Amino acid sequence: MVQHDANSGDSRISELVERLAKLPATDVHQYFRGFRAIQDELDAEQCKIQISERMCYMQENLPAQLSNLRRFRKKLVYLKQKVQSALKNYHDQQERLWSSLKQNAPDLHNHLECVAQKMKELNYLIVAHKLTFAISKIKKVINGSDFFLLYDNIQFLKQNANSDLKLDENEAKNIDNMRKQLINETEHLVSGSLRDLLKKIRYPLEEPVDLKTHEKLIQQIATLLKCISILDNGIVTLHCDRSKLLTELVGPVERRFQFHFFTEQKTNDSSKPEWFFTQILTWITANVDLISSILLLIVKNDAERNEMVTEYVNKLMNLAQKKVQNIVKEVQDDPELFSHLIDECVAFENELQDIAIPIRPGNVLVVLCEDIYLLKWLQLERESCIAGVENVLCGEDCWNNRYHTFSDVDMQQAPECTDQFLLMIESITERYRWIESLDVQSQFLNVQIFMLDDFRLRLVHISQQLGSPWEKPFIQILNSAWYLAYVLDEWNEVDIFIRIQALGKRTHFRGVFEDVANMYRHLWRQKAEDLTAAFYQHIRASLSRYQREQWYSWEASKPFDLTPSFCPFLLEVRRLLGHVNKAISPHSATKLYEMLNEKVAEVLLQMLTTISLNGYGAAQILYDVTNSLIPVLNSLYNHHTNAINLETLDEPKFVEVISCLKILSQSTGTAILLYEELKRTTDNLTPSLLEPFDAATIERERALELLKRRSDLQLTSDETVKL
């Protein structure tokens, strides 16, 4: 066995030597990292060995320990029996002694019985005297306002086990009754003194005060509270009763609240819930520092003290909750008063969150979340929002920019009505934000989604009533749809909506607002297509005169100036894009300009596929497009320089227009040679053939068709262009 352990140890050492030898000597960091890993393994093995040795030792030592315990147990049993026997002998001998005295010395027996009775009475009187003396000292201390000695004196009222053991059952009962009566009397005296001190500092405070000026009073109040906290139904307890402390501190506040808001006072007005909410907030903010200072002298544990301060605030919150329960029954059938109560409850919850105390939210709103009130609340939200939307859309300036004086920096160019609508939706969120129930929150979310869809349908209806996309507020509706989709995408990342989506019972949304946002994006796309279609029709009509030019017999060898008939087209493009520029939001302009730019290219492509032209005519069209149209378009697209980075030639169809014109504008000889080469080449080689003409994107068949439209080419008879 020893030989086996030695061999095992040698192999382990050899293994360690090999591992150390394999460590990279060139990299110091890697070397010591590997060395530390080996050291950690050895330490772990050493720890296992030590634990194993300890376990072995314990296993060997346990039988001896068990034997010792059994021996001690036997000794204890023997001692117990011996004590019980001695006690029995003592009682037996005492009985025999009393019997002997009664028979042999009756006079002595009577005297001893009389002495025993006197001692019994003396014990009773001593205990009673201690209690009466303690209460007299307590009264003296209270009358002298020396409250710092009061706590120690109250300790004398505790039950004294040594004295009480000498009393019989009736005497002990009498003493207990006497003690309870004295403790109750003491508690009454201390409570009265506490009320007097609280009145001196005008508690509950209506505004914060300098606590240093009341430092002595605060110490006395803390002492009295500490005394009251150990007095409990005629018993002096060992520990402070937290609930009793808070009851004493909340009591004056509760009595004043009851007087002002539950009795026949002018302040008890169901139409003015803000009065009692303001009062509760005032009491919380004005008294919380005072309460903290008092508890600091009683409770030493910081966490426990903070918890008690929070509990104090919650008790004041319960007063507000109780009053809301009282009011809501009266105002639930009056929409105006009910709505006012809701607003004040929400405002109260919001203001509570600004207090530097961790207050559980929704304490007041939970009353309104009861089924009978919740249904009315949801209906009220829906009706008020619908009325608000109708009112906003009826305004004369509802489609003006929301920032009249700063519209140039508004990247969304959202109309006033859309901005107001979103504020209404956000206000609903603020009203249910502090409700704890996710199920209730999801019901409010359903109202918001309903209103968002309703507003979308209103936008659709308004756009359909317009005679043309160029009328106001068509572009404003585009801005609204884009802005709403943008905002809803942001709301999908807001914590409250994520929480509802993840945990709510009634949630059935893929991204809470994702479906609604997609509907607004669809609306934008649909209306943008309507606008671009109208744009296409307008510019196509303005290009008709230019299209009717005699391009097949154009004589100018080299273009030097803009074709006059191209001006109406340029002016119409600039007019329509200028109209868009004035109203479209920079945030969505790039996408819309891309669509409009595509339509301009389509108009030109459509023209090129319907006219016959010679090389000079094609060169003139190329000149008009590159030197007039493209610069105009670029300047219009870059109207919003900070938001848009779009060039006309970013559109593939526009590149196709230029490429087609470059092919068509080649000289007669070049065009014929190109035509012949295209006929002989394959589709794969076409890009390399057209690359010298900057037309590599044009397909072979398309290039051949274009060249066939050249009226000045002398092609073979079967391929001559017919004019």
Side-chain angles (χ1 to χ4, degrees), residues 369-383:
C369 292
E370 296 176 14
D371 290 342
I372 185 174
Y373 307 127
L374 180 60
L375 292 175
K376 294 182 179 181
W377 185 0
L378 293 170
Q379 183 65 23
L380 187 64
E381 290 287 355
R382 188 180 292 107
E383 291 175 355

Side-chain angles (χ1 to χ4, degrees), residues 190-205:
V190 174
S191 297
S193 299
L194 177 62
R195 284 194 296 272
D196 293 339
L197 289 180
L198 291 175
K199 287 179 182 178
K200 284 185 179 181
I201 60 172
R202 300 181 182 278
Y203 179 82
L205 304 175

Side-chain angles (χ1 to χ4, degrees), residues 20 54 59 71 75 77 84 93 136 146 169 172 197 250 288 293 307 341-342 383 403 459 490 523 552 610 646 691:
L20 288 171
R54 180 69 176 168
Q59 288 176 355
R71 188 170 66 254
K75 286 183 178 180
V77 171
Q84 288 176 342
Q93 289 178 9
S136 65
D146 192 4
E169 185 177 351
L197 289 180
V250 174
V288 70
S293 299
E307 186 178 343
L341 176 62
I342 293 170
E383 291 175 355
Y403 305 132
L459 294 181
E490 286 191 334
L523 171 62
Y552 55 86
T610 57
L646 176 67
E691 187 174 0

